[in-house]
């Protein structure tokens, strides 16, 4: 079964501390994973995708097939990073369907 | 400006009423989606469309129905609203091909059925 698990509903860190938002997936095949973010009073939007191997707003995410994980990391959190973060997995068919995790609220305290 | 719109943003309605949630996009995208999201929970896909006259049910069973008569318009209808339909409904769209996985979301409609 295809599934995305984000074990933490809330992650609270101080400004300047490292951040790691956990994402584990279940997928038989070659997965494609994404992180979406929703800032307060804004729409849900794509943050990054693993195939691009990009760093966006200082965030990176590495696909670890052995651990079936796609954790989102940032070395030094900023207050403006406070938001809801969703990990998403591309569905098995080429339809554009995404399977979302439960989401993690990141709270960066001053 | 290219965007995706949802109306109404908030709706409080009584049980048994018929409602239509509107979603329109001016980005020329062929794929469109409806998600249902309860507070603090994951998004569940309830409907999607590849293009005009093409609609499919999503992973979460829903009593709602959708139509896609025009590329830019993807309304969702509940024939008889019930309190169990209370939720947030998000509409999204995406480009064809690999761009399909970058989904553009609307602002959402928060529905409350009393």
């Amino acid at each position: 079964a295809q599934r995305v698990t984000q074990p933490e509903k809330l992650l609270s860190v101080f400004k300047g501390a490292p951040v790691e938002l956990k994402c584990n997936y279940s997928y038989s095949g070659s997965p494609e994973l994404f992180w979406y973010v929703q800032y307060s009073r804004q729409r849900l939007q794509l943050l990054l995708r693993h195939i691009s191997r990009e760093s966006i707003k200082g965030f990176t995410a590495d696909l670890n097939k052995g651990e079936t994980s796609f954790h989102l990391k940032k070395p030094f959190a900023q207050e403006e990073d406070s938001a809801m973060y969703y990990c998403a997995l591309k569905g098995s068919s080429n339809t554009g369907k995404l399977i979302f995790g439960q989401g993690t609220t990141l709270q960066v305290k001053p | 400006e290219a965007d995706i719109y949802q109306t109404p943003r908030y709706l409080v309605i009584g049980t048994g009423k018929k409602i239509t949630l509107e979603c329109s996009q001016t980005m020329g995208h062929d794929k469109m989606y409806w998600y249902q999201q309860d507070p603090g929970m994951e998004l569940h896909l309830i409907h999607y469309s590849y293009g005009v006259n093409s609609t499919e049910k999503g992973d979460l069973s829903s009593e709602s129905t959708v139509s896609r008569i025009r590329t830019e318009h993807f309304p969702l209808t509940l024939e008889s609203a019930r309190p169990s339909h209370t939720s947030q409904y998000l509409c999204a769209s995406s480009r064809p091909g690999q761009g399909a996985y970058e989904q553009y979301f609307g602002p959402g409609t928060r529905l409350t059925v009393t």
Side-chain angles (χ1 to χ4, degrees):
Chain A
Q2 299 163 43
R3 189 175 180 85
V4 175
T5 302
Q6 292 179 250
E8 302 145 326
K9 283 190 86 74
L10 173 66
L11 182 63
S12 185
V13 302
F14 285 101
K15 177 183 172 181
V19 170
E20 182 179 70
L21 294 156
K22 294 189 183 337
C23 171
N24 290 93
Y25 66 90
S26 173
Y27 186 77
S28 56
S30 189
E32 287 189 45
L33 287 130
F34 306 81
W35 277 98
Y36 277 74
V37 61
Q38 186 168 25
Y39 301 102
S40 178
R41 287 186 282 278
Q42 293 188 30
R43 303 181 190 188
L44 191 60
Q45 60 187 290
L46 179 66
L47 178 63
L48 56 79
R49 69 197 85 190
H50 92 271
I51 58 172
S52 301
R53 304 186 70 80
E54 56 201 347
S55 172
I56 303 292
K57 298 185 179 182
F59 284 98
T60 58
D62 291 319
L63 179 61
N64 185 323
K65 291 186 180 180
E67 295 182 359
T68 60
S69 68
F70 186 56
H71 303 329
L72 184 68
K73 299 177 184 178
K74 184 169 183 177
F76 308 103
Q78 302 299 313
E79 288 180 70
E80 56 265 30
D81 296 327
S82 295
M84 186 76 160
Y85 291 81
Y86 292 92
C87 184
L89 169 69
K90 171 186 168 182
S92 55
S93 54
N94 197 27
T95 60
K97 288 172 64 176
L98 289 170
I99 298 158
F100 283 87
Q102 303 93 322
T104 298
T105 299
L106 175 64
Q107 185 182 76
V108 181
K109 296 178 285 188
Chain B
E1 182 182 332
D3 204 350
I4 180 164
Y5 305 91
Q6 288 186 247
T7 57
R9 294 291 311 278
Y10 303 91
L11 179 62
V12 180
I13 201 159
T15 297
K17 300 288 187 185
K18 178 180 179 179
I19 59 171
T20 297
L21 307 185
E22 301 287 350
C23 176
S24 294
Q25 50 97 4
T26 56
M27 294 184 283
H29 289 166
D30 62 340
K31 291 184 171 64
M32 295 188 74
Y33 314 84
W34 276 105
Y35 291 90
Q36 185 174 344
Q37 181 184 30
D38 292 325
M41 303 296 285
E42 64 260 57
L43 286 74
H44 290 287
L45 182 69
I46 52 174
H47 297 283
Y48 62 101
S49 169
Y50 298 124
V52 172
N53 294 325
S54 160
T55 62
E56 301 280 346
K57 287 198 175 290
D59 302 319
L60 181 68
S61 176
S62 173
E63 293 166 348
S64 58
T65 59
V66 293
S67 62
R68 189 92 183 271
I69 299 171
R70 303 196 319 262
T71 299
E72 62 273 17
H73 195 214
F74 191 41
L76 181 146
T77 299
L78 277 164
E79 290 292 333
S80 180
R82 294 210 297 269
S84 61
H85 297 138
T86 294
S87 191
Q88 169 149 278
Y89 294 84
L90 293 174
C91 182
S93 69
S94 65
R95 298 189 300 270
Q98 284 305 306
Y101 299 100
E102 179 171 1
Q103 295 186 9
Y104 294 80
F105 284 82
T109 294
R110 189 166 295 281
L111 173 66
T112 302
V113 183
T114 61

